[in-house]
Every structure is written in C-alpha cells, then in structure tokens.
C-alpha cells in the first residue's frame, strides 16, 4: 500500500487548511481511492479524510433548489424521500451503485470527483443541469457540473479545492425523470452504458422540454443536445422515442474496452435512450399540471 | 509516514490503538487484534464482501476503510455477534439451510444479513437479493442463503 501522511479535519475550516498543503488529496468514502492506492495508481503525500465532517453530509430542500452535501452516501440518497420525490432518476442511479457495502461508504462528491465515464450519478445530475459549489482556503465558486468533469478521471478542480455540495432546481409542471443502466449483470455491476432523461409536457401533452444524458459512451458523460431539441413540440409516442434513440447514437463516440465493445455500446445506447425517455414521459403524463 | 492514534468502539468495548495510517480496518482486525472472522477474498477491491463488518449499523467492506476512518465509530465484527455459548440466530439459520459450505464467505454474509434485517425486519426476496449482492460465495449457489434469511425471519431455526 502506498505511504502517506493522514489528516482528519473535524470541520470545513480545518479541511480548507489541510487541503491547502502541497500534495494533499481528499479521502472520502475510499471506495475508489483505496483500490487506486493499493495498485500504486495514485500517490498523494497527504490524505485528508473528510469522513468525520458531519456538515458535508445532508440533503436539503432550499425552496428553489435541492442541495446535497458532498459527503452524502449513495445509500442516504437512495433512501431519501426528498430525492425520490424531486429527482427520481437520481434515486434509481444511487440505488444501482455497487453493493449495499459500496453504497454505505461511497459518496456523491467522490463519484463526481473520481470522474469515471461510467459514474452512475452523473447522468441524472446532468439532466437536472446541476451545479457544484467548490471551496478552498480563499473562497468559493459555483460551476455547472457539466464543465467540472473534463476527461476520464479528470476534473477542473484546482489544488486546494474541494466539492462542498451539489444542487439542482426541481422541475415544475407535468414532468418526469428516469435512469437506466446496462451492466454485465443485475447487481454489483459497473455501467456498460447508462442514461438519464427528463421530460416536461405542455397542456396539450406535447414535449415542451427534454433532457438526455448518456454515460460510458465517450471520455465523459454527455448531454445529447440534438436529441433533446429534436423532441421539442413532439407528441410523445414510442416511434418518436425510438427516433430519439437513433439520433442519440449519432452524438456519442463509444470505445471498446474490458467491459464491452463499441458496437454493443452504440446499440444499447439507442435502446436505453428510447426506454428512459418513454418512462420519463409516462411519469409526466401521470402528473397533474 | 507518521503513526496515528485511533479510538473507537469495537464490539461494544472502547479501544485505542496506534497504527500506520495506510493500513485498513481489515488489516488491523486480523493482524493486530486477532479477530480473523473478517476475511479477504478479492485482494481488497470491494468486490467479494468477505471482509464485511458493521459500522454504525451499516454493512461495510473493511478492506476499503483506512484505520483512521473508524475514529469515534461503532464497529461490529462477527466475533461481536457470536454469543459465548452457541450461535446467533442468523448463524444457526445459515447452518440449518445449508448456506455454509467452506465457510469463507460466511462471516461477511451473516453480517450483511444482520444489517439487512436490522433495517428491514421483513424483507422481500428482492430486498434480500439486493442486501446480499455484495457477498460472493463460491459454494452455496446463493439460494440457500435466501432460504437462511427466510428461516431467520420466520424464527424457524432450531435452538
Ligand atoms: C465494488 C465497487 C463497485 C462500484 N460500483 C459502482 C457503480 O455501480 N457505479 C458507480 O458510479 N461507481 C461505482 N463504484 C465506484 C465508487 O464507489 C463511487 O465512484 C463512489 O461514489 C466514490 O466515492 P467515495 O466517497 O468512495 O470516493 P473516494 O474513493 O474517497 O474518492 C474518490 C476521488 O474523489 C476525490 N474526492 C472525494 N470527495 C471529494 C470532494 N468532496 N471534493 C474533491 N474531491 C473529492 C478523492 O480525492 C479521490 O480522488 C464502485 C466501487 C466499488 C469498489
Ligand atoms: S476483501 Fe473483498 S471486498 Fe474486502
Ligand atoms: S460457503 Fe464457500 S464461499 Fe461461501
């Protein structure tokens, strides 16, 4: 196991101090970073353990936004009534992460900062156009999640910066949101492809707004913007969604790796985009305006 | 690398120890404390669940917890739920249902079951499968574990 010095801040003020030292890196739930340290894939001089900071662990309805602290675990998100009511796609995604053991340790902040192309909470957050509150010793900034994750394992976080919380605006009117992942098996599987969608319907039942995000089909999780705009004004039915799935295939560049092939990913991406949109639209139809 | 001091509650008793920070809870349990119930079957990848312990009521892979992270926490291992005489009802049910063969996965599977039943005293099959999906077993084929959990719920295991 890699060697490092270990610090355990008790609050955010101490975290800022600790993290400002050169070579310092956060240890949150440890489910990504401990295997990386074991394989020698990462060599921080100092590990700053955030697992003792209670104030980074919360899910809050702040009226116009839902805010989730970076240290909130997948299990807590999966069990949250608030998340289930306001972002069902995120609840399903959190519930699909690894095993119960993984979910009870792994955090939302860690899932984002680890920046895996297959990270399951990213598509549901992207379709809600989530933003991320980033802090360091000298202040804070808020950035769209979409601009934070810039490559496989790469974020726009600078030395000394950490994710404080993630927030998104709930949808209004007749809306629905859903998440689907395809893995090698039902439980305990990393996504071969994953997708989230939101659909908002107008009074006549046509699509007034749609958002689609796909993961594991490129270097980062992406929004399929052409697919989204092609849905505007359409009366939703299976044909429309199948077309959207075909459109989405044009927008992604999957690769072949240990988990799957380019061809399979491309095919599956189209299929799950159609299904995830259909499920979101179904939910929207059932909701009074 | 500086050693660290860690204080936590282990199986109901407060303990304090010194360790290098790059050791996992699993390393310390097995090597320093002689508690060898938790096991390593996947090389510390979080894949097998043989190292499962309960921290603050939640099942956790102890191979993915650095020792410093248990500061102030409540840790329960298989040794902590096994009575002085005899066995815990979940252990009995596992034996009864034939859910123990080589036994390597058993401590982890029993603790995952305990954490599941503490949260869902009457779990559905789906909840049992989800609750045990992080515990790999080379021997039993899993259905016997499902049977074992049903036995515990029904309180049918022999005393
Ligand atoms: C068996 C297993 C199965 C898994 N299955 C899935 C799955 O199905 N889907 C999925 O998406 N993931 C899966 N994962 C990956 C992992 O569990 C998640 O990515 C998890 O959310 C990581 O969070 P963590 O708190 O454990 O992060 P850590 O491992 O503690 O940290 C990960 C990285 O993020 C950085 N970091 C953490 N928090 C912050 C912060 N607040 N600010 C800045 N940087 C930070 C750390 O420095 C580190 O680089 C799995 C992992 C395992 C071991
Ligand atoms: S040793 Fe396999 S999950 Fe911990
Ligand atoms: S009984 Fe042998 S691994 Fe489960």
């Amino acid at each position: 196991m890699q060697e490092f010095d270990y610090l355990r801040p008790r609050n955010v003020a101490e975290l800022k101090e600790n993290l400002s030292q050169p070579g310092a890196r956060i240890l949150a739930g440890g489910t990504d970073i401990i295997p990386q340290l074991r394989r020698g894939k990462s060599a921080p001089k100092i590990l700053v353990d955030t697992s003792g900071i209670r104030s980074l662990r919360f899910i809050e309805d702040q009226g116009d936004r839902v805010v989730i602290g970076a240290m909130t675990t997948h299990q807590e998100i999966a069990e949250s009534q608030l998340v289930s009511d306001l972002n069902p796609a995120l609840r399903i995604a959190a519930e699909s992460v690894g095993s119960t053991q993984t979910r009870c340790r792994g955090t939302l902040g860690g899932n984002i900062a680890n920046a895996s192309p297959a990270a399951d909470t990213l598509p549901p957050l992207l379709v809600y156009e989530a933003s991320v509150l980033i802090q360091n010793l000298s202040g804070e900034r808020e950035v769209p999640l979409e601009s934070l994750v810039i490559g496989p394992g790469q974020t726009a976080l600078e030395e000394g910066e950490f994710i404080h919380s993630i927030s998104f605006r709930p949808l209004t009117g007749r809306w629905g949101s859903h998440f689907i992942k395809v893995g090698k098996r039902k439980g305990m599987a990393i996504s071969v492809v994953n997708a989230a969608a939101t659909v908002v319907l107008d009074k006549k039942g046509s699509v007034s707004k749609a958002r689609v995000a796909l993961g594991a089909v490129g270097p980062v999780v992406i929004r399929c913007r052409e697919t989204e705009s092609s849905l505007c004004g359409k009366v939703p039915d299976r044909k429309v969604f199948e077309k959207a799935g075909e459109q989405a295939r044009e927008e992604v560049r999957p690769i072949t790796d240990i988990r799957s092939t380019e061809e399979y990913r491309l095919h599956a991406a189209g299929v799950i985009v159609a299904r995830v949109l259909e499920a979101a639209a179904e939910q929207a139809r059932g909701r009074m305006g | 690398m500086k050693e660290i001091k860690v204080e936590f509650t282990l199986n109901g008793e407060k303990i304090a120890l010194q360790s290098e920070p790059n050791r996992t809870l699993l390393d310390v349990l097995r090597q320093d404390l002689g508690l060898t119930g938790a096991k390593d079957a996947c090389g510390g990848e979080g894949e097998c669940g043989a190292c499962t312990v309960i921290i603050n009521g939640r099942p956790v892979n102890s191979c993915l917890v650095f020792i410093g992270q248990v500061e102030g926490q409540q840790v329960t291992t298989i040794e902590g739920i096994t009575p002085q005489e005899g066995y815990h009802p979940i252990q009995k049910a596992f034996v009864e249902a034939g859910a123990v063969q080589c036994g390597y996965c058993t401590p982890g599977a029993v603790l995952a079951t305990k954490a599941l039943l503490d949260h869902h005293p009457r779990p559905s099959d789906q909840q049992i499968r989800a609750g045990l999906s992080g515990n790999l077993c080379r021997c039993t084929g899993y259905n016997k574990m499902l049977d074992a959990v049903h036995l515990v719920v029904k309180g049918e295991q022999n005393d």
Side-chain angles (χ1 to χ4, degrees):
Chain A
M1 183 73 78
Q2 204 75 46
E3 297 196 354
F4 50 81
D5 282 327
Y6 169 89
L7 296 172
R8 188 175 167 85
R10 282 163 302 177
N11 52 47
V12 172
E14 286 180 9
L15 166 61
K16 288 175 183 171
E17 287 287 342
N18 292 166
L19 209 57
S20 69
Q21 302 179 53
R25 180 99 174 265
I26 287 188
L27 163 68
T31 59
D32 277 316
I33 200 174
I34 295 180
Q36 288 163 13
L37 290 164
R38 201 171 264 128
R39 288 187 218 117
K41 271 199 182 166
S42 163
K45 280 225 306 258
I46 306 170
L47 271 194
V48 181
D49 176 9
T50 46
S51 66
I53 307 180
R54 282 291 322 170
S55 68
L56 290 177
R57 206 163 163 179
F58 63 88
I59 304 175
E60 249 172 50
D61 186 354
Q62 299 190 348
D64 61 333
R65 295 187 84 77
V66 174
V67 189
I68 305 180
M71 286 304 296
T72 309
T73 65
H74 295 297
Q75 189 69 18
E76 287 160 345
I77 293 170
E79 290 173 0
S80 158
Q81 193 59 46
L82 190 68
V83 173
S84 174
D85 289 345
L86 299 178
N87 189 340
L90 179 60
R91 185 197 63 75
I92 300 166
E95 192 170 55
S96 82
V97 172
S99 62
T100 311
Q101 286 92 327
T102 325
R103 290 190 293 278
C104 287
R105 290 301 288 181
T107 64
L108 187 62
N111 200 224
I112 294 170
N114 193 60
S116 159
D120 284 316
T121 63
L122 289 183
L125 290 171
L126 283 182
V127 293
Y128 274 73
E129 303 184 308
S131 52
V132 181
L133 180 64
I134 296 168
Q135 297 188 334
N136 67 7
L137 200 51
S138 52
E140 61 178 41
R141 59 186 177 120
E142 186 142 16
V143 301
L145 173 61
E146 202 174 4
S147 66
L148 183 68
V149 180
I150 53 181
Q154 281 178 298
T155 66
L157 286 174
E158 291 177 13
E159 286 245 328
E161 282 190 327
F162 65 94
I163 299 174
H164 176 279
S165 52
I166 298 92
S167 72
F168 57 86
R169 203 186 289 279
L171 296 166
T172 53
R174 300 179 67 192
W175 64 272
S177 86
H178 197 59
F179 170 84
I180 294 179
K181 108 187 205 181
V182 178
K184 288 250 177 203
R185 50 182 186 237
K186 270 198 187 145
M188 266 293 268
I190 303 289
S191 289
V192 163
V193 190
N194 59 18
T198 58
V199 171
V200 182
L201 300 176
D202 63 18
K203 291 215 177 69
K204 284 177 284 174
S206 351
V207 176
S208 67
K209 198 171 90 172
R211 298 276 179 265
V212 178
L214 269 170
V217 288
V220 296
V221 181
I222 61 150
R223 281 267 302 276
C224 302
R225 290 200 157 73
E226 281 164 39
T227 307
E228 293 174 359
S229 48
S230 75
L231 284 163
C232 262
K234 296 268 165 58
V235 178
D237 65 19
R238 170 151 307 163
K239 275 238 165 60
V240 166
F241 293 138
E242 278 169 5
K243 264 230 150 98
E246 281 164 31
Q247 170 75 47
R249 287 192 186 114
E250 309 276 316
E251 295 189 64
V252 298
R253 293 277 166 274
I255 56 163
T256 296
D257 64 12
I258 47 161
R259 272 193 281 280
S260 189
T261 63
E262 178 187 340
E263 291 77 11
Y264 180 80
R265 284 198 161 104
L266 205 55
H267 176 75
V271 174
I272 63 171
V273 162
R275 285 188 194 155
V276 80
L277 280 165
E278 203 171 0
E282 192 55 42
Q283 224 183 79
R285 263 190 229 106
R287 205 182 295 270
M288 290 300 147
Chain B
M1 196 167 49
K2 273 199 271 333
E3 286 214 341
I4 55 169
K5 231 184 101 187
V6 189
E7 288 183 32
F8 61 107
T9 305
L10 178 61
N11 296 328
E13 281 176 35
K14 285 226 148 70
I15 69 161
L17 52 83
Q18 295 254 120
S19 171
E20 286 171 333
N22 68 346
R23 299 175 69 222
T24 63
L25 173 59
L26 179 64
D27 296 335
V28 172
L29 287 173
R30 293 184 59 86
Q31 297 161 9
D32 300 9
L33 302 172
L35 298 178
T36 54
K39 295 180 174 31
D40 176 348
C42 70
E45 291 285 327
E47 295 281 351
C48 73
C51 64
T52 300
V53 301
I54 296 177
I55 301 184
N56 301 340
R58 300 288 198 175
V60 161
N61 291 322
S62 61
C63 71
L64 294 186
V65 178
F66 279 131
I67 188 62
Q69 299 192 284
V70 299
E71 174 71 34
Q73 316 290 302
Q74 307 272 345
V75 180
T76 304
T77 68
I78 192 71
E79 291 85 356
I81 72 157
T82 309
Q84 289 285 347
E85 304 262 319
Y87 295 96
H88 186 278
I90 298 173
Q91 292 171 316
K92 287 187 214 164
F94 266 62
V95 172
E96 178 90 349
V100 182
Q101 289 186 31
C102 79
Y104 203 82
C105 71
T106 310
V110 166
L111 287 174
T113 301
K114 180 167 192 315
L116 170 73
L117 293 177
D118 287 347
H119 279 87
H120 304 284
R122 310 211 136 263
S124 63
D125 274 6
Q126 178 51 36
Q127 283 172 322
I128 301 172
R129 286 177 197 278
L132 289 174
S133 70
N135 295 82
L136 299 189
C137 175
R138 294 294 308 269
C139 308
T140 67
Y142 303 106
N143 282 330
K144 290 174 197 282
M145 288 197 198
L146 200 78
D147 297 343
V149 181
H150 283 301
L151 278 182
V152 185
V153 173
K154 289 195 207 121
E156 272 182 12
Q157 71 287 350
N158 289 340
D159 277 351

